[in-house]
Amino acid sequence: MAAILTFVAYALAGLVALRLAIPPGYASPLYPAAGVALASVLLFGWRMLPAVALAAVFVNLSLAADFAHPTPAWLLLACSIGCGAALQAWVGTLLVKRFTPQPLTLGEPREVVAFLLVSAASCLVSPVLGNAALWFTQTVPPANLPLSVATWWIGDLLGVLIATPVLFTLLGRPREAWAPRRLSLGLTLTLVTVLLVLGVRQVVTWSHERLQTGFDRDATSATLALAAQLKQPIHALRALHGVFIASDEVTSDEMHLAAQAWLNDGVMQAMGWNERVSRENVPQFEAKARASGLAGYTVFDRTDLSASPGSPGSPRLPGARAAATPDAEVIAMRYVEPMTTNAAALGVNVLSIPAARAAIEQARRTGAPVATAGFRLTQTLGNSPTFDPGVVIYQAVYKPVAASAAQRFEATRGVVFVTLRPSEQLKGLLAQVPAYLSLCVVDTSASALLRRLAGRAGCEDDAMPLQHVRAVEFAGRQWELRVQARPQDLPESNSADAWLFALVGLLSTAMLGGFLLIVTGRTRRIETAVRERTAALQAEVQDRQVAEAALRESDQRFRNILNSVPIGVVYTDLQGNVRQTNPRYCTLTGYTEAEFVSMSQADYTHPDDVAQDNDLREQLVRGDVPMFRRHKRLITRQGTTVWVQATVSLLRDANGKPRSIVGVVEDITEHLKLEEAERAREAAEASNRAKSEFLSRMSHELRTPLNAMLGFAQLLELDQRHPLTAAQLPWVTQIQQAGWHLLEMINDVLDLSRIESGNVRLQIETLVIGDLLSATLALVEGDARSRNIRISQEMIDGAHTLVGDATRVKQILTNLLSNAVKYNAESGRVHIGCRMSSTDTVEIAVTDTGLGMTPQQLTELFQPFNRLGRERSTQPGTGIGLVISQRLAELMGGSLRARSVAGQGSSFILRLPCSPDPDTVRSDLADLASEPAAYHRRLVHYVEDNETNVEVMRGILAQRPQVELEVTMTGAAGLAA
């Protein structure tokens, strides 16, 4: 049982202590497990040594995940440290029994000093053996071993000085010497241990933060520098693209001049031009190239991209493809710079390289720069089987300007390109960054077969303790720039903070522990003296209690009055120092009465109010004013501000001289907040009214001249006596189109202003959905035909009528359908679906196949004047049509909402109340006729604005004259009850 308890106690103490280790070492500056081991062997004998060794092995095996060691090496290391811990406990036990008096009581100074010295000597065993094992397994660099040994020794010694006495107070012999020390010695040292643990943990945190901050600074600088380098090839590509746009026939000399300035710094491998040629015109193309000075120029396909080109059975690299039927066209490398290092690639058909082919096809369709995945460059074929992947950035050059992707693809003259090898860029950057950093460039695109573009082997999958990742979008591909490092490699990792802190803790703990051991050894004599003195004091206390009883009774009456007052009361001296408060004042400020005794009013008064308080108090003491009342701010203990009304008076003694000051304080914070909120509400309402009035007036003022403009434009167009010329007619048409568009915008602003001000009048009636859709579709059919957009509609679930304002419902449907046509794709579809969503609601859904919206755009959809980025398009609009439609739907008792998926289209769902058919009315009212209250409510619902239902219910009521109802009719027909 003792062995199990030893194992558990050592393991728990060791696991907690090792969390305090500071890199680059792995030793804890406070290791109570060493004290557990020594105390266990001293109390229970040598049979505890195996439990100590196994517990130490277990503790160190728990750190296996933090080391880059194979399992056998780490197991050897853990076993070595475990044997060292057991050996240290054995040596410590021998020294304690040899050089300290037995039984061990540690009650005299010489015993305490002897225990301290033998503990310091024995605690060298485990640090020496453990660090020798760390050196042998290359876990800790040799330069860090001295600090590791010192930290280990200090941690073990602190653990022995703390844990051993604490465990002896619980289990030590003789019991009469140790049991009385549980609180005075055991609890005190335990608290000291907790404080040391917290202190060491803070040192650990600071050390980690310092290392992390230094690494983040260097890593950020490195990734920023690399990201800046990656922009240069894009700039070079655009410059070269401009050369080939400006000239249809770029000569080799012009190509050389265009590329020379960009290639001087060595960042890029090559720049050049790939020309598009049909397969049948390749001979003529080759002859033209040879005639221009490229002797032996030949167009060829790359069909073997293996590690050793031409070797049978060699593995195929990522990016290779099997031979296939030749394409109808080739894109051959016509120019490349510098020629000396890239001549081997001249004439290659880049379409035969899968990685290049994918990038070129995308570049031809988009017109933007597109980078390839990593692959072996043609100019490196025939070299070593190992290679650094290259990346090529392409941008297409077109003959005429092409609009669509298909047109651009067919109009391609060729592609300019820039070739770079990320590993070369990384080599140049490594000379500028600290040596401890490990850089890696990873292609995270889904199509990347070679993920690592630059860096040490395996860096794309390794995760070092310190790692900084920056995501970069590079010419259509997603790259990650990773910077990695190990804590022990950092230049600032060798910190002596833990050693210095542990040294101070050692001295403090040794002094405190020794003092407590000496003092508690004489506990019996001190307790006897205390008991005798206590008996004498008790007699004196009894005499004082009789004298103080009368005073307490008088004081109690005053306190009862003071404590029951519902407002705060505070007494101060003439300088403002608090002398007494009542409970209400303490509740108001959050301080206790005991805390107020050491405070002045300035300590909890708002700094801006202190000067005025002092001035008024001085006037009160001088007699200039008999009292004063003011509003001021108090700062509560929680840091909040409380507004109070303070009434302050002066108290005088029997001779009429000022003696003290009394203040009566009432909390008025909520009252002031209520007044402020009321003022803010009035200001907001006034601002809203002013805005609506301004919009309404401005819209009317704009409409007057606009009507004149439109009218005169129409007169010009209709004037037969002085007809316009053919050149003038389009101008007048443009004036009318712009005018009608502006008038539509003004009407929308007026509608929005009326809705916000509550001035919209609605004529609610039963409407036929088919008629509404016919009238609305007639307004958008012309635009739909011009864009070849097909409109379909479907009526299900008996959805034929709805209840609403005819004009406003048409306005909503027109807005939804015009948007569906306006923002639809060419030759798209618009579908109108009508159905009953519930017994009293009809739902009309307008669905298009347009651009759709992102979730972010959906959240901003119904905001006034927000066109979701479409204001940069050619489509006209104000951005308030949907807002008006939604609010009109809500005014008619319905709703308008949207569903959309980016790139797939949108659906707008309008819900409005529906008018039930007569059979439903007759059935519902017949069932409810026996319940007058429910019958009355349902009757009102059916009667309003529904003449058909009125006729049905006249017959029902004629059969039930006993039911008396009062119904307000808004329809044309009346109902006799």
Side-chain angles (χ1 to χ4, degrees), residues 183-215:
L183 294 179
S184 56
L185 177 62
L187 180 60
T188 302
L189 287 181
T190 301
L191 292 177
V192 170
T193 304
V194 172
L195 293 177
L196 281 176
V197 168
L198 294 177
V200 173
R201 185 58 189 168
Q202 186 60 49
V203 173
V204 171
T205 301
W206 288 338
S207 179
H208 279 295
E209 289 177 352
R210 183 175 65 254
L211 295 179
Q212 186 67 48
T213 300
F215 169 76

mmCIF file of all heavy atoms in Angstrom, residues 183-215:
data_model
loop_
_atom_site.group_PDB
_atom_site.id
_atom_site.type_symbol
_atom_site.label_atom_id
_atom_site.label_comp_id
_atom_site.label_asym_id
_atom_site.label_seq_id
_atom_site.Cartn_x
_atom_site.Cartn_y
_atom_site.Cartn_z
ATOM 1 N N LEU A 183 -0.411 22.385 11.054
ATOM 2 C CA LEU A 183 -0.899 23.688 10.600
ATOM 3 C C LEU A 183 0.231 24.699 10.504
ATOM 4 O O LEU A 183 0.396 25.372 9.480
ATOM 5 C CB LEU A 183 -1.995 24.196 11.548
ATOM 6 C CG LEU A 183 -3.289 23.387 11.559
ATOM 7 C CD1 LEU A 183 -4.272 23.987 12.550
ATOM 8 C CD2 LEU A 183 -3.920 23.335 10.174
ATOM 9 N N SER A 184 1.016 24.806 11.564
ATOM 10 C CA SER A 184 2.042 25.848 11.590
ATOM 11 C C SER A 184 3.149 25.595 10.585
ATOM 12 O O SER A 184 3.656 26.537 9.947
ATOM 13 C CB SER A 184 2.634 25.963 12.996
ATOM 14 O OG SER A 184 3.143 24.698 13.413
ATOM 15 N N LEU A 185 3.554 24.342 10.421
ATOM 16 C CA LEU A 185 4.627 24.021 9.490
ATOM 17 C C LEU A 185 4.101 23.475 8.165
ATOM 18 O O LEU A 185 4.431 23.988 7.090
ATOM 19 C CB LEU A 185 5.566 22.997 10.122
ATOM 20 C CG LEU A 185 6.722 22.491 9.235
ATOM 21 C CD1 LEU A 185 7.637 23.633 8.864
ATOM 22 C CD2 LEU A 185 7.490 21.366 9.936
ATOM 23 N N GLY A 186 3.260 22.424 8.253
ATOM 24 C CA GLY A 186 2.783 21.786 7.024
ATOM 25 C C GLY A 186 1.958 22.717 6.156
ATOM 26 O O GLY A 186 2.187 22.839 4.943
ATOM 27 N N LEU A 187 0.980 23.402 6.751
ATOM 28 C CA LEU A 187 0.135 24.288 5.957
ATOM 29 C C LEU A 187 0.917 25.476 5.412
ATOM 30 O O LEU A 187 0.743 25.887 4.260
ATOM 31 C CB LEU A 187 -1.043 24.768 6.817
ATOM 32 C CG LEU A 187 -2.028 25.709 6.126
ATOM 33 C CD1 LEU A 187 -2.653 25.012 4.914
ATOM 34 C CD2 LEU A 187 -3.111 26.164 7.094
ATOM 35 N N THR A 188 1.821 26.029 6.236
ATOM 36 C CA THR A 188 2.601 27.186 5.777
ATOM 37 C C THR A 188 3.493 26.830 4.596
ATOM 38 O O THR A 188 3.536 27.549 3.588
ATOM 39 C CB THR A 188 3.456 27.724 6.938
ATOM 40 O OG1 THR A 188 2.605 28.085 8.027
ATOM 41 C CG2 THR A 188 4.257 28.931 6.499
ATOM 42 N N LEU A 189 4.226 25.716 4.716
ATOM 43 C CA LEU A 189 5.087 25.313 3.599
ATOM 44 C C LEU A 189 4.277 24.953 2.360
ATOM 45 O O LEU A 189 4.727 25.164 1.228
ATOM 46 C CB LEU A 189 5.957 24.140 4.017
ATOM 47 C CG LEU A 189 7.101 24.467 4.992
ATOM 48 C CD1 LEU A 189 7.906 23.218 5.309
ATOM 49 C CD2 LEU A 189 8.010 25.542 4.421
ATOM 50 N N THR A 190 3.084 24.391 2.578
ATOM 51 C CA THR A 190 2.228 24.095 1.414
ATOM 52 C C THR A 190 1.824 25.381 0.699
ATOM 53 O O THR A 190 1.842 25.459 -0.544
ATOM 54 C CB THR A 190 0.981 23.319 1.868
ATOM 55 O OG1 THR A 190 1.382 22.106 2.508
ATOM 56 C CG2 THR A 190 0.095 22.985 0.676
ATOM 57 N N LEU A 191 1.461 26.383 1.486
ATOM 58 C CA LEU A 191 1.107 27.668 0.875
ATOM 59 C C LEU A 191 2.302 28.293 0.160
ATOM 60 O O LEU A 191 2.173 28.880 -0.924
ATOM 61 C CB LEU A 191 0.564 28.625 1.939
ATOM 62 C CG LEU A 191 -0.783 28.237 2.549
ATOM 63 C CD1 LEU A 191 -1.163 29.226 3.644
ATOM 64 C CD2 LEU A 191 -1.873 28.202 1.477
ATOM 65 N N VAL A 192 3.494 28.173 0.785
ATOM 66 C CA VAL A 192 4.703 28.682 0.130
ATOM 67 C C VAL A 192 4.932 27.955 -1.192
ATOM 68 O O VAL A 192 5.318 28.555 -2.210
ATOM 69 C CB VAL A 192 5.911 28.525 1.070
ATOM 70 C CG1 VAL A 192 7.213 28.816 0.323
ATOM 71 C CG2 VAL A 192 5.771 29.460 2.255
ATOM 72 N N THR A 193 4.686 26.644 -1.178
ATOM 73 C CA THR A 193 4.846 25.875 -2.420
ATOM 74 C C THR A 193 3.904 26.374 -3.506
ATOM 75 O O THR A 193 4.295 26.528 -4.673
ATOM 76 C CB THR A 193 4.586 24.388 -2.147
ATOM 77 O OG1 THR A 193 5.457 23.936 -1.123
ATOM 78 C CG2 THR A 193 4.807 23.559 -3.402
ATOM 79 N N VAL A 194 2.659 26.607 -3.107
ATOM 80 C CA VAL A 194 1.684 27.111 -4.093
ATOM 81 C C VAL A 194 2.142 28.444 -4.663
ATOM 82 O O VAL A 194 2.085 28.692 -5.876
ATOM 83 C CB VAL A 194 0.297 27.228 -3.437
ATOM 84 C CG1 VAL A 194 -0.676 27.923 -4.385
ATOM 85 C CG2 VAL A 194 -0.226 25.856 -3.051
ATOM 86 N N LEU A 195 2.643 29.320 -3.777
ATOM 87 C CA LEU A 195 3.121 30.625 -4.254
ATOM 88 C C LEU A 195 4.328 30.479 -5.174
ATOM 89 O O LEU A 195 4.449 31.165 -6.192
ATOM 90 C CB LEU A 195 3.461 31.514 -3.056
ATOM 91 C CG LEU A 195 2.277 31.941 -2.186
ATOM 92 C CD1 LEU A 195 2.757 32.743 -0.996
ATOM 93 C CD2 LEU A 195 1.280 32.764 -2.996
ATOM 94 N N LEU A 196 5.252 29.569 -4.796
ATOM 95 C CA LEU A 196 6.405 29.342 -5.668
ATOM 96 C C LEU A 196 5.982 28.786 -7.020
ATOM 97 O O LEU A 196 6.517 29.157 -8.061
ATOM 98 C CB LEU A 196 7.379 28.388 -4.990
ATOM 99 C CG LEU A 196 8.283 28.998 -3.907
ATOM 100 C CD1 LEU A 196 9.117 27.918 -3.256
ATOM 101 C CD2 LEU A 196 9.166 30.085 -4.474
ATOM 102 N N VAL A 197 5.007 27.852 -7.000
ATOM 103 C CA VAL A 197 4.509 27.289 -8.264
ATOM 104 C C VAL A 197 3.914 28.384 -9.136
ATOM 105 O O VAL A 197 4.172 28.472 -10.346
ATOM 106 C CB VAL A 197 3.471 26.186 -7.985
ATOM 107 C CG1 VAL A 197 2.743 25.798 -9.264
ATOM 108 C CG2 VAL A 197 4.156 24.959 -7.396
ATOM 109 N N LEU A 198 3.117 29.252 -8.504
ATOM 110 C CA LEU A 198 2.526 30.342 -9.283
ATOM 111 C C LEU A 198 3.604 31.281 -9.820
ATOM 112 O O LEU A 198 3.534 31.750 -10.956
ATOM 113 C CB LEU A 198 1.540 31.121 -8.404
ATOM 114 C CG LEU A 198 0.295 30.352 -7.960
ATOM 115 C CD1 LEU A 198 -0.551 31.213 -7.041
ATOM 116 C CD2 LEU A 198 -0.532 29.906 -9.171
ATOM 117 N N GLY A 199 4.618 31.542 -8.975
ATOM 118 C CA GLY A 199 5.694 32.416 -9.435
ATOM 119 C C GLY A 199 6.474 31.811 -10.572
ATOM 120 O O GLY A 199 6.773 32.476 -11.575
ATOM 121 N N VAL A 200 6.840 30.526 -10.428
ATOM 122 C CA VAL A 200 7.581 29.867 -11.494
ATOM 123 C C VAL A 200 6.743 29.789 -12.760
ATOM 124 O O VAL A 200 7.242 29.966 -13.879
ATOM 125 C CB VAL A 200 8.028 28.459 -11.040
ATOM 126 C CG1 VAL A 200 8.657 27.686 -12.199
ATOM 127 C CG2 VAL A 200 9.015 28.572 -9.898
ATOM 128 N N ARG A 201 5.440 29.533 -12.574
ATOM 129 C CA ARG A 201 4.573 29.457 -13.759
ATOM 130 C C ARG A 201 4.534 30.795 -14.495
ATOM 131 O O ARG A 201 4.528 30.835 -15.720
ATOM 132 C CB ARG A 201 3.149 29.058 -13.311
ATOM 133 C CG ARG A 201 2.202 28.833 -14.481
ATOM 134 C CD ARG A 201 2.730 27.767 -15.403
ATOM 135 N NE ARG A 201 1.946 27.675 -16.627
ATOM 136 C CZ ARG A 201 2.324 26.998 -17.691
ATOM 137 N NH1 ARG A 201 3.477 26.349 -17.701
ATOM 138 N NH2 ARG A 201 1.559 26.958 -18.774
ATOM 139 N N GLN A 202 4.569 31.884 -13.715
ATOM 140 C CA GLN A 202 4.587 33.194 -14.360
ATOM 141 C C GLN A 202 5.898 33.418 -15.107
ATOM 142 O O GLN A 202 5.916 33.977 -16.214
ATOM 143 C CB GLN A 202 4.395 34.296 -13.310
ATOM 144 C CG GLN A 202 4.243 35.686 -13.883
ATOM 145 C CD GLN A 202 3.048 35.789 -14.814
ATOM 146 O OE1 GLN A 202 1.953 35.364 -14.482
ATOM 147 N NE2 GLN A 202 3.254 36.328 -15.995
ATOM 148 N N VAL A 203 7.014 32.961 -14.492
ATOM 149 C CA VAL A 203 8.301 33.064 -15.185
ATOM 150 C C VAL A 203 8.284 32.245 -16.468
ATOM 151 O O VAL A 203 8.789 32.660 -17.512
ATOM 152 C CB VAL A 203 9.439 32.602 -14.252
ATOM 153 C CG1 VAL A 203 10.759 32.537 -15.001
ATOM 154 C CG2 VAL A 203 9.562 33.554 -13.069
ATOM 155 N N VAL A 204 7.696 31.036 -16.391
ATOM 156 C CA VAL A 204 7.569 30.195 -17.594
ATOM 157 C C VAL A 204 6.763 30.906 -18.671
ATOM 158 O O VAL A 204 7.126 30.927 -19.850
ATOM 159 C CB VAL A 204 6.908 28.845 -17.224
ATOM 160 C CG1 VAL A 204 6.571 28.055 -18.483
ATOM 161 C CG2 VAL A 204 7.831 28.033 -16.343
ATOM 162 N N THR A 205 5.655 31.500 -18.240
ATOM 163 C CA THR A 205 4.796 32.198 -19.204
ATOM 164 C C THR A 205 5.545 33.341 -19.864
ATOM 165 O O THR A 205 5.491 33.535 -21.083
ATOM 166 C CB THR A 205 3.543 32.726 -18.486
ATOM 167 O OG1 THR A 205 2.842 31.630 -17.907
ATOM 168 C CG2 THR A 205 2.632 33.437 -19.480
ATOM 169 N N TRP A 206 6.266 34.129 -19.042
ATOM 170 C CA TRP A 206 7.031 35.239 -19.621
ATOM 171 C C TRP A 206 8.099 34.736 -20.593
ATOM 172 O O TRP A 206 8.323 35.333 -21.653
ATOM 173 C CB TRP A 206 7.680 36.044 -18.511
ATOM 174 C CG TRP A 206 6.714 36.854 -17.717
ATOM 175 C CD1 TRP A 206 5.481 37.261 -18.098
ATOM 176 C CD2 TRP A 206 6.892 37.334 -16.368
ATOM 177 N NE1 TRP A 206 4.873 37.970 -17.090
ATOM 178 C CE2 TRP A 206 5.715 38.037 -16.021
ATOM 179 C CE3 TRP A 206 7.916 37.252 -15.443
ATOM 180 C CZ2 TRP A 206 5.557 38.636 -14.780
ATOM 181 C CZ3 TRP A 206 7.756 37.863 -14.213
ATOM 182 C CH2 TRP A 206 6.597 38.536 -13.874
ATOM 183 N N SER A 207 8.770 33.639 -20.220
ATOM 184 C CA SER A 207 9.808 33.099 -21.101
ATOM 185 C C SER A 207 9.226 32.640 -22.425
ATOM 186 O O SER A 207 9.745 32.940 -23.496
ATOM 187 C CB SER A 207 10.508 31.942 -20.399
ATOM 188 O OG SER A 207 11.507 31.388 -21.230
ATOM 189 N N HIS A 208 8.089 31.911 -22.349
ATOM 190 C CA HIS A 208 7.431 31.472 -23.594
ATOM 191 C C HIS A 208 6.984 32.666 -24.426
ATOM 192 O O HIS A 208 7.105 32.659 -25.663
ATOM 193 C CB HIS A 208 6.240 30.578 -23.257
ATOM 194 C CG HIS A 208 6.613 29.158 -22.954
ATOM 195 N ND1 HIS A 208 7.168 28.305 -23.881
ATOM 196 C CD2 HIS A 208 6.513 28.437 -21.808
ATOM 197 C CE1 HIS A 208 7.390 27.130 -23.347
ATOM 198 N NE2 HIS A 208 7.007 27.174 -22.067
ATOM 199 N N GLU A 209 6.428 33.661 -23.776
ATOM 200 C CA GLU A 209 5.951 34.832 -24.517
ATOM 201 C C GLU A 209 7.113 35.554 -25.190
ATOM 202 O O GLU A 209 6.989 36.033 -26.317
ATOM 203 C CB GLU A 209 5.213 35.778 -23.570
ATOM 204 C CG GLU A 209 3.856 35.246 -23.107
ATOM 205 C CD GLU A 209 3.194 36.180 -22.112
ATOM 206 O OE1 GLU A 209 3.855 37.152 -21.676
ATOM 207 O OE2 GLU A 209 2.018 35.922 -21.767
ATOM 208 N N ARG A 210 8.245 35.633 -24.490
ATOM 209 C CA ARG A 210 9.400 36.292 -25.096
ATOM 210 C C ARG A 210 9.892 35.526 -26.316
ATOM 211 O O ARG A 210 10.186 36.107 -27.367
ATOM 212 C CB ARG A 210 10.513 36.421 -24.063
ATOM 213 C CG ARG A 210 11.747 37.166 -24.579
ATOM 214 C CD ARG A 210 12.795 37.377 -23.487
ATOM 215 N NE ARG A 210 13.338 36.109 -23.019
ATOM 216 C CZ ARG A 210 13.031 35.560 -21.853
ATOM 217 N NH1 ARG A 210 12.193 36.172 -21.028
ATOM 218 N NH2 ARG A 210 13.561 34.400 -21.477
ATOM 219 N N LEU A 211 9.991 34.190 -26.161
ATOM 220 C CA LEU A 211 10.420 33.385 -27.307
ATOM 221 C C LEU A 211 9.437 33.495 -28.465
ATOM 222 O O LEU A 211 9.819 33.641 -29.622
ATOM 223 C CB LEU A 211 10.564 31.919 -26.878
ATOM 224 C CG LEU A 211 11.666 31.599 -25.850
ATOM 225 C CD1 LEU A 211 11.637 30.126 -25.524
ATOM 226 C CD2 LEU A 211 13.024 32.008 -26.355
ATOM 227 N N GLN A 212 8.134 33.430 -28.127
ATOM 228 C CA GLN A 212 7.120 33.487 -29.173
ATOM 229 C C GLN A 212 7.126 34.838 -29.874
ATOM 230 O O GLN A 212 6.991 34.929 -31.092
ATOM 231 C CB GLN A 212 5.746 33.211 -28.561
ATOM 232 C CG GLN A 212 4.623 33.103 -29.583
ATOM 233 C CD GLN A 212 4.762 31.880 -30.477
ATOM 234 O OE1 GLN A 212 4.985 30.784 -29.996
ATOM 235 N NE2 GLN A 212 4.650 32.058 -31.782
ATOM 236 N N THR A 213 7.301 35.904 -29.079
ATOM 237 C CA THR A 213 7.313 37.246 -29.671
ATOM 238 C C THR A 213 8.490 37.415 -30.620
ATOM 239 O O THR A 213 8.355 37.954 -31.729
ATOM 240 C CB THR A 213 7.365 38.297 -28.558
ATOM 241 O OG1 THR A 213 6.218 38.162 -27.719
ATOM 242 C CG2 THR A 213 7.390 39.698 -29.147
ATOM 243 N N GLY A 214 9.673 36.957 -30.184
ATOM 244 C CA GLY A 214 10.840 37.064 -31.064
ATOM 245 C C GLY A 214 10.663 36.263 -32.334
ATOM 246 O O GLY A 214 10.998 36.732 -33.431
ATOM 247 N N PHE A 215 10.133 35.045 -32.178
ATOM 248 C CA PHE A 215 9.908 34.214 -33.370
ATOM 249 C C PHE A 215 8.873 34.847 -34.291
ATOM 250 O O PHE A 215 9.072 34.905 -35.509
ATOM 251 C CB PHE A 215 9.449 32.821 -32.952
ATOM 252 C CG PHE A 215 8.944 31.986 -34.099
ATOM 253 C CD1 PHE A 215 9.821 31.398 -34.997
ATOM 254 C CD2 PHE A 215 7.578 31.812 -34.300
ATOM 255 C CE1 PHE A 215 9.348 30.637 -36.059
ATOM 256 C CE2 PHE A 215 7.109 31.058 -35.356
ATOM 257 C CZ PHE A 215 8.006 30.467 -36.245
#
